[in-house]
Amino acid sequence: METLLYTAELVQEDGAYKLVVQDLVRDTVQVTPVPKSAVDRLPTFLSVLSAKLGTARGR
């Protein structure tokens, strides 16, 4: 059985990006600004992380 612990959304608003992470266990939300350069590198970062952990891509 899976238990969802966190959700994460990358949101663009008025040209700015923010990462919204919801902790479903503690019922909290954190919002952090993210520079566009980090957003642009996100697919590469996720590919490297998946390769390093040996996990399948996507869900």
Side-chain angles (χ1 to χ4, degrees), residues 39-56:
V39 172
D40 292 342
R41 291 190 314 263
L42 188 57
T44 302
F45 171 77
L46 292 174
S47 293
V48 169
L49 182 62
S50 292
K52 192 168 223 158
L53 297 176
T55 57

Side-chain angles (χ1 to χ4, degrees), residues 1-7 22-26 59:
M1 179 173 134
E2 288 185 0
T3 301
L4 189 57
L5 303 175
Y6 294 92
T7 63
Q22 182 178 6
D23 181 333
L24 300 171
V25 175
R26 294 174 184 83
R59 246 180 102 109

Side-chain angles (χ1 to χ4, degrees), residues 6-18:
Y6 294 92
T7 63
E9 296 178 333
L10 182 61
V11 179
Q12 181 183 20
E13 185 177 331
D14 299 325
Y17 297 93
K18 60 184 173 183

